[in-house]
Amino acid sequence: MSTHIGAKRGAVAEAVLLPGDPLRAKYIAETFLDDVSQYNTVRNAFGYTGFYKGHPVSVQASGMGIPSISIYVNELINDFGAKTLLRVGTCGGMSPAVKVRDVLIAQAASTDSSFIRNTFGRDIYYAPTGNFDLLLAAYRAAKHQEIPVKVGNILSEDRFYNDEIDRQKLIQYGVLGSEMEAAALYTLAAKYDVRALAVLTVSNHIMTGEETSAAEREKSFNDMITVALETAIS
Ligand SMILES: O=P(O)(O)O[C@H]1O[C@H](CO)[C@@H](O)[C@H]1O
Ligand SMILES: O=c1cc[nH]c(=O)[nH]1
């Protein structure tokens, strides 16, 4: 049992999917996993362990933002022995190359968060990077399932509402979309020598204002979750 995860050691699988939303964790567990048991309800950050194609997999809600996901990632790694961490989140599209409902794989995660400076000091602009083996496995799983994916740099923002940021410049420099956690996930995974990757669904386009309906989101979520689960057991 850790401060924010009320489970016995051994209750969490080595491979963990990390949606921000607790209800997405419930949906993944109920829709995709067999023999599911719920191991966490602390703060309603639901956590479940079950089996995907016979392999143990957990799903842990990570909340919104870098402070929240950092808590769960630290505890999953240090108290429960997690080795493979796959964020399954929504993001806002930024690049014109990205459309709503697209699935993105975050090769790298730029950030405006002070997390990097807190970790490395003022002089180092560390580049949080997804694990290459997971990235390759995710890309291959997507191709195999005929799920189109785009791979590239994303932005992990400290603020959901931020009209002060120069998005055009970030787009010019190749940033595909924006979410709020991957940079910390990648940095902590590097610190503790475990593997991490973020697979994201574009739920809205920040530049055009386009949004998805709940029904449309479900199909894209299922694609993202399938890619992540296939990667988890690869
Ligand atoms: O859908 P999730 O996984 O929560 O991810 C995105 O959605 C939240 C903002 O609405 C932030 O957590 C952002 O990263
Ligand atoms: O962080 C996020 C997530 C979804 N959509 C956004 O615009 N931002």
Side-chain angles (χ1 to χ4, degrees):
M1 184 151 174
S2 61
T3 307
H4 302 88
I5 302 176
K8 293 197 175 106
R9 201 176 166 92
V12 182
E14 286 194 355
V16 186
L17 265 58
L18 292 163
D21 181 357
L23 293 180
R24 197 178 316 134
K26 185 170 189 281
Y27 173 77
I28 294 169
E30 290 176 351
T31 313
F32 290 86
L33 302 184
D34 301 319
D35 296 329
V36 174
S37 57
Q38 183 167 16
Y39 65 76
N40 193 47
T41 56
V42 176
R43 290 177 179 256
N44 280 346
F46 302 149
Y48 305 86
T49 297
F51 292 85
Y52 179 72
K53 296 187 175 174
H55 299 266
V57 176
S58 292
V59 189
Q60 173 62 55
S62 65
M64 288 188 277
I66 282 175
S68 185
I69 196 170
S70 299
I71 287 172
Y72 294 100
V73 168
N74 267 289
E75 293 182 19
L76 286 168
I77 295 170
N78 294 318
D79 297 298
F80 295 96
K83 301 276 184 233
T84 298
L85 298 157
L86 287 151
R87 171 162 155 68
V88 279
T90 59
C91 74
M94 285 174 46
S95 162
V98 165
K99 309 289 175 225
V100 289
R101 298 185 295 281
D102 278 356
V103 176
L104 306 185
I105 300 175
Q107 184 176 11
S110 304
T111 188
D112 61 353
S113 167
S114 59
F115 190 91
I116 301 298
R117 200 196 298 171
N118 287 343
T119 307
F120 293 97
R122 287 183 169 273
D123 295 336
I124 300 292
Y125 297 86
Y126 179 76
T129 310
N131 175 268
F132 180 74
D133 291 338
L134 292 182
L135 199 159
L136 189 60
Y139 189 76
R140 285 182 172 153
K143 289 281 159 215
H144 187 68
Q145 306 272 342
E146 298 185 352
I147 296 168
V149 288
K150 296 192 168 77
V151 181
N153 199 352
I154 59 146
L155 177 66
S156 296
E157 279 188 61
D158 245 358
R159 291 190 280 167
F160 183 84
Y161 297 106
N162 186 351
D163 56 10
E164 277 119 358
I165 202 160
D166 186 348
R167 293 192 191 276
Q168 286 300 349
K169 187 160 198 170
L170 288 161
I171 293 165
Q172 185 192 342
Y173 280 72
V175 171
L176 300 176
S178 170
E179 51 81 85
M180 301 178 69
E181 293 88 11
L185 169 65
Y186 288 0
T187 304
L188 289 169
K191 175 174 182 175
Y192 294 115
D193 193 22
V194 301
R195 309 187 305 167
L197 188 71
V199 185
L200 306 166
T201 296
V202 181
S203 57
N204 58 292
H205 202 289
I206 296 172
M207 310 310 282
T208 65
E210 194 186 353
E211 308 234 2
T212 40
S213 68
E216 289 172 329
R217 262 203 301 277
E218 187 172 325
K219 161 81 175 95
S220 333
F221 279 179
N222 287 349
D223 285 348
M224 164 182 74
I225 293 159
T226 301
V227 169
L229 285 168
E230 290 292 329
T231 305
I233 65 167
S234 64

